[in-house]
Amino acid sequence: MAQWHKTGCVLCAQNCGLEVQVAGNRMAKVRPDKSNPRSRGYACRKGLNVGYHQHHADRLTHPLKRTDAGFDRISWDQAIAEIAEKLGRVVEEHGPRSYAYMGGGGQGCHFEAAFGRTLMKLLGSQYHYNAVAQELTGAFWACGRHTGRQTDFHIPDEQRADMLLAVGWNGVESHQMPRAPLVLKAFSKDSDKLLVVIDPRRSRTADLADIHLSVRPGTDALLVRAMIAIILENGWEDRAYIDQYTTGFAQIRPWFENVDVSHCLAVCGLDVQAVVDLCRELGRRRWCLHTDLGVYMNRHSTLTSCLYNLLLAVCGRLCVPGGNVIPGKFMPIGSHTDERDPKHWRTVSTDFPILMGYSPPNVLPEEILGDHPDRIRSLIVCASNPLRSYADTTAYEKAFNRLDLLVTIELAMTETARLSHYVLPARSGYESWDGTFFTWTWPEVYFQMRRPLIEPEGEPLECGEIFTRIADAMGLIPTLPEALYQLAQKDRFAFAVELMTLARSNPGLMNAIPFVLSKTLGQELGSGNLAALWGLLFTAPEKLRKDALRAGLTVEGWGESIRSAPDKLPTILKSMVRNRSAVPLAGLHPRAAFGEKLFQAVMDHPEGLWLGKSDAAANMASIRTPSGRIDLFIPEMDAWMADLSPEKETAALAPDPDFPLILMAGRHVRTNANTLMRNPEWNRGRRACTLAMHADDAAPLKLADGQQVTVVTAAGRETIELEVSSRARVGHVVMPHGFGLDYQGRVTGANVNRLTQNTHRDPLAGTPLHRYVPCRVEAA
């Protein structure tokens, strides 16, 4: 009999709540889940077609080994043994820098990251390549300098705002906040509110806007510098806020003095009065800001992120209701890795820092192909498809073919898997326990632990279980006593006490804790991911516990335990391991009880729940700079700002006769999603992958709507169907990402990353400049 199950979408970071009807071990029907507290009955067509992600002919079912004749099916035992032996040999011969991990869960499954990162650290490496560093690390770095921690980035509090400034963000189609199309439409219809869009093209979000500034591609930094100059010149800044909550204003003020605003805005292609009118509103309204890939993947990316942070600060809109706020979190999606601290590595060939815990994917080909003795020689790729997701497919293909060991852990035979030495089948997000830690709500903290709905076919395993087996085969997991296994089956509190007792005599055990939990409690729960969740909640930091209490999750006597035993459990664990002292049971039981309460609450709410609620009146307390205030001045930006002038930008933006158009490489549309939506049938009857071009550009080239054209850049060429559209800006063409997928021997759409160069990147964060790729278009 068909049954409906509550779950969530795994195709984008909003993870909208879904209800899935399962019949015959297949997703028969999918509908939005009205009981999900975050999405509240909303889901886009991608989520409603998630069955194409789960069920398709390219799903992997057994471990594979590449041979001269192709791929041979092998056993798990053989695969794990050979991978462990080869990986161990590479690291032993060439050192820990020879190994890198690429993964971290993508858009739907984050628990794998705990296992992948633990293996990486046990091997002595710090190289974690992840999509976050393909988009966001410049912005996170800027937030880290302004607020004190890279993990304390800010999000817009649009619920309490009367004006939303959307920059390089087409939320109607890309989402990037819960229920984005509905939120934007409601904002647009409210006569007391203003929706402002800054975007070169007339996107569907721009259609809703009260004000649309069609900025010239690549001039965002110049525009926001001019905007701050206008605000300061007219005295529209919030001086009381600046004096009370910030430092460094006197040092940044010269950046915005003697700015030729008219010249700047002429270069940006904008009317001066329109921008002045907008700045007046910014000085008087309760506004918030939403930036997206139009900033993160554009010229001067990191500088632009810094400037928009300054715009928020001078207007008094950071860490205040209705402005941009630092959200609460269950788990951060990265780690604070200040590049000024020498303990954090830099890449050896390209000298890029690790930011937010991640190395930039754009440099990986050079880190493999370089001649440095510490070059990367072995790589495990999990839940990632760099051959379609990251810049410069050609460079990646060349680099991956040079690796001594390439292992791909994946759902499907992807383009990356086809180049791998070993391909290991992973369970999908609907065959395993999993969840994400995206923080796009405030003050509430949301979490959903999805549960298995579908019985896997063949022999796929949870990604975490695969990493656990590799680590075990390499001898990286301490020997565990039988008593620990037995207690895992009986009493989790007793299990925790025994685990900490073991850690007292073997401090290295805590370094492998995800693997230890997977091998013990994971066997009882049926999932290493579920065991990892229990571990996270059992050791929840004090802030999350207080947030949970504020959200209404309580345990009898817990308030008294806070007063009588204020030490945080993670501190207890670290102190116990460091001092090898007796287990401090006093105060531990209430914390264990609270962890169990949170764990049970998650288990009782398959639709997701508000796991916590931040103190909405105390967001400024999230600032963790030495001064306790927002640091406006970032020394590294001083020279960059000095180099940002209308004269230099005019020269830099002069068209290249060989590549006279600007390609926006990566467009969110209703027909693209995770690259594991491999079966093109989900888009049957739609123009799924087209190049958008304005009629004024198409006419001189004698190009017509619907014909095949070739896009040529310095990196390569791709053929694609032309779509003549008034949404494109003159001189600007737009191409979606996530296509060029080989499904059952047939390639669907064009691979935009064949047209991008990995060296075309932000000089500080290494993020790609996908929104500004010079190109030409010609008849195919």
Side-chain angles (χ1 to χ4, degrees):
M1 179 180 178
Q3 294 184 343
W4 287 93
H5 302 269
K6 294 183 181 296
T7 186
C9 180
V10 298
L11 298 177
C12 98
Q14 300 317 305
N15 306 129
C16 295
L18 301 175
E19 288 187 303
V20 176
Q21 187 185 66
V22 178
N25 203 38
R26 294 185 67 84
M27 293 181 170
K29 296 179 181 179
V30 181
R31 67 190 182 195
D33 181 8
K34 295 180 180 179
S35 67
N36 183 284
R38 185 169 64 174
S39 57
R40 292 181 285 160
Y42 173 79
C44 75
R45 73 172 293 264
K46 303 173 190 182
L48 299 180
N49 281 281
V50 76
Y52 287 94
H53 164 83
Q54 172 64 34
H55 307 292
H56 60 80
D58 277 355
R59 279 294 305 270
L60 296 166
T61 56
H62 298 86
L64 301 172
K65 178 181 180 179
R66 195 178 79 195
T67 68
D68 292 340
F71 283 96
D72 290 344
R73 174 179 166 179
I74 58 176
S75 69
W76 272 110
D77 287 345
Q78 179 184 347
I80 296 298
E82 292 184 7
I83 291 168
E85 187 277 328
K86 293 177 180 179
L87 180 56
R89 178 159 29 90
V90 171
V91 173
E92 182 179 2
E93 291 179 4
H94 302 286
R97 287 181 180 268
S98 65
Y99 172 70
Y101 157 56
M102 177 177 282
Q107 303 282 26
C109 303
H110 285 178
F111 276 80
E112 167 259 313
F115 298 90
R117 284 185 62 86
T118 299
L119 177 63
M120 176 191 77
K121 291 178 179 179
L122 290 174
L123 291 173
S125 179
Q126 294 184 22
Y127 290 141
H128 181 185
Y129 290 87
N130 180 277
V132 167
Q134 186 73 353
E135 301 175 358
L136 295 162
T137 42
F140 289 159
W141 177 85
C143 286
R145 289 300 185 86
H146 291 305
T147 68
R149 292 291 186 276
Q150 293 166 9
T151 51
D152 289 340
F153 54 88
H154 53 77
I155 65 172
D157 177 26
E158 77 286 343
Q159 296 181 58
R160 296 161 186 82
D162 63 17
M163 177 176 169
L164 174 59
L165 179 60
V167 184
W169 174 52
N170 181 20
V172 170
E173 294 187 279
S174 70
H175 294 81
Q176 308 302 332
M177 71 161 54
R179 307 171 71 250
L182 303 186
V183 170
L184 288 165
K185 289 174 184 176
F187 219 96
S188 175
K189 291 178 181 179
D190 191 327
S191 58
D192 294 327
K193 297 184 177 183
L194 275 182
L195 175 61
V196 181
V197 171
I198 299 176
D199 196 308
R201 62 197 181 96
R202 190 171 65 83
S203 67
R204 295 189 183 278
T205 304
D207 286 345
L208 301 175
D210 299 286
I211 300 171
H212 173 211
L213 299 183
S214 179
V215 64
R216 180 181 179 183
T219 62
D220 296 81
L222 199 62
L223 169 60
V224 68
R225 185 181 192 185
M227 290 168 66
I228 296 173
I230 291 169
I231 289 169
L232 295 179
E233 182 180 353
N234 287 279
W236 293 335
E237 74 274 18
D238 189 332
R239 284 298 316 196
Y241 176 97
I242 292 169
D243 292 342
Q244 184 174 357
Y245 296 116
T246 76
T247 63
F249 181 70
Q251 291 166 285
I252 68 160
R253 178 133 202 174
W255 292 352
F256 309 104
E257 294 174 340
N258 302 315
V259 174
D260 187 341
V261 168
S262 295
H263 193 179
C264 287
L265 297 181
V267 176
C268 297
L270 296 173
D271 176 71
V272 173
Q273 191 58 51
V275 177
V276 170
D277 291 345
L278 170 59
C279 290
R280 183 182 295 107
E281 297 297 326
L282 293 174
R284 71 181 187 88
R285 282 185 174 264
R286 192 174 65 253
W287 64 274
C288 61
L289 168 72
H290 198 306
T291 53
D292 197 32
L293 301 185
V295 169
Y296 308 146
M297 289 184 164
N298 216 327
R299 297 178 67 250
H300 304 300
S301 171
T302 299
L303 173 63
T304 307
S305 290
C306 290
L307 285 167
Y308 271 115
N309 287 347
L310 294 181
L311 178 66
L312 284 162
V314 299
C315 293
R317 305 310 306 151
L318 264 178
C319 298
V320 297
N324 278 52
V325 292
I326 298 173
K329 55 184 75 71
F330 175 17
M331 278 291 294
I333 59 172
S335 58
H336 177 65
T337 45
D338 191 327
E339 80 286 356
R340 295 169 295 184
D341 188 333
K343 73 179 181 182
H344 300 304
W345 289 1
R346 299 180 74 94
T347 55
V348 296
S349 293
T350 53
D351 195 37
F352 274 89
I354 293 173
L355 301 177
M356 196 72 164
Y358 306 115
S359 297
N362 276 330
V363 310
L364 183 56
E366 292 155 277
E367 295 302 314
I368 296 171
L369 295 169
D371 56 5
H372 197 285
D374 287 336
R375 72 176 182 85
I376 292 171
R377 300 166 186 268
S378 57
L379 179 70
I380 294 182
V381 176
C382 187
S384 180
N385 186 16
L387 265 293
R388 289 299 176 271
S389 300
Y390 298 147
D392 209 330
T393 301
T394 303
Y396 259 99
E397 289 170 342
K398 183 179 179 182
F400 278 10
N401 279 316
R402 193 190 182 193
L403 286 168
D404 295 347
L405 178 66
L406 175 59
V407 178
T408 292
I409 303 171
E410 193 52 274
L411 309 184
M413 182 56 81
T414 63
E415 291 73 22
T416 302
R418 289 186 176 93
L419 292 184
S420 303
H421 298 105
Y422 294 89
V423 181
L424 306 180
R427 293 191 179 190
S428 77
Y430 301 105
E431 297 165 351
S432 55
W433 292 90
D434 221 318
T436 63
F437 303 108
F438 292 118
T439 51
W440 273 113
T441 53
W442 186 82
E444 297 85 2
V445 179
Y446 172 80
F447 182 68
Q448 178 186 35
M449 191 70 172
R450 294 188 319 276
R451 52 213 61 207
L453 310 180
I454 305 293
E455 286 293 325
E457 297 180 11
E459 300 178 317
L461 300 174
E462 282 186 353
C463 296
E465 172 66 16
I466 297 172
F467 278 111
T468 301
R469 293 190 183 192
I470 294 172
D472 214 6
M474 297 184 74
L476 299 173
I477 306 176
T479 301
L480 305 174
E482 183 60 30
L484 193 62
Y485 292 93
Q486 293 176 357
L487 288 172
Q489 300 173 23
K490 299 175 182 178
D491 185 323
R492 286 198 286 265
F493 175 68
F495 167 81
V497 172
E498 177 65 15
L499 184 61
M500 288 187 289
T501 301
L502 290 170
R504 181 182 57 193
S505 59
N506 183 2
L509 181 144
M510 297 306 294
N511 295 329
I513 195 64
F515 298 140
V516 173
L517 289 172
S518 179
K519 288 190 65 177
T520 54
L521 190 58
Q523 298 306 305
E524 172 63 17
L525 297 175
S527 166
N529 291 351
L530 207 51
L533 172 66
W534 176 85
L536 289 174
L537 293 171
F538 186 80
T539 59
E542 179 109 355
K543 185 180 186 307
L544 178 61
R545 293 197 298 270
K546 289 183 177 180
D547 286 352
L549 288 169
R550 198 176 290 110
L553 296 170
T554 59
V555 171
E556 185 177 353
W558 174 245
E560 178 61 31
S561 73
I562 290 178
R563 289 188 290 272
S564 62
D567 293 336
K568 294 183 288 185
L569 184 57
T571 303
I572 291 173
L573 288 171
K574 292 176 182 177
S575 175
M576 181 196 67
V577 171
R578 183 173 57 250
N579 300 324
R580 303 194 177 193
S581 58
V583 178
L585 294 180
L588 177 56
H589 189 277
R591 284 171 170 76
F594 198 70
E596 282 290 334
K597 173 75 173 182
L598 292 179
F599 184 74
Q600 194 58 52
V602 171
M603 299 297 287
D604 289 343
H605 290 277
E607 76 282 8
L609 77 164
W610 298 123
L611 193 63
K613 186 175 183 179
S614 301
D615 185 349
N619 198 244
M620 198 63 71
S622 300
I623 301 298
R624 292 194 283 174
T625 59
S627 66
R629 299 183 176 194
I630 299 165
D631 285 343
L632 301 182
F633 178 67
I634 300 177
E636 289 86 345
M637 295 296 102
D638 205 16
W640 203 340
M641 281 293 301
D643 203 44
L644 182 71
S645 69
E647 293 80 10
K648 289 185 177 181
E649 288 296 274
T650 297
L653 295 165
D656 182 338
D658 292 330
F659 304 113
L661 300 171
I662 299 302
L663 168 67
M664 173 178 158
R667 171 192 180 193
H668 289 285
V669 287
R670 291 176 170 85
T671 53
N672 66 345
N674 189 303
T675 62
L676 292 179
M677 289 287 275
R678 305 192 67 79
N679 185 349
E681 285 298 303
W682 83 285
N683 280 324
R684 177 187 283 271
R686 294 173 178 263
R687 297 180 75 180
C689 181
T690 60
L691 180 77
M693 173 185 274
H694 196 279
D696 290 353
D697 289 321
L701 298 173
K702 297 182 171 52
L703 300 176
D705 183 79
Q707 82 174 90
Q708 293 293 302
V709 297
T710 298
V711 184
V712 185
T713 69
R717 57 177 59 223
E718 278 283 288
T719 297
I720 187 172
E721 179 188 344
L722 181 67
E723 175 188 354
V724 177
S725 171
S726 60
R727 294 194 176 279
R729 194 180 194 274
V730 174
H732 188 225
V733 294
V734 189
M735 183 172 171
H737 55 280
F739 289 96
L741 304 181
D742 186 338
Y743 180 74
Q744 293 288 287
R746 175 190 168 197
V747 176
T748 302
N751 172 20
V752 72
N753 279 315
R754 189 70 73 181
L755 301 172
T756 58
Q757 288 181 299
N758 68 301
T759 53
H760 186 53
R761 61 199 177 206
D762 184 82
L764 191 149
T767 46
L769 310 186
H770 282 347
R771 294 307 187 258
Y772 195 90
V773 181
C775 75
R776 68 175 180 269
V777 179
E778 53 197 35

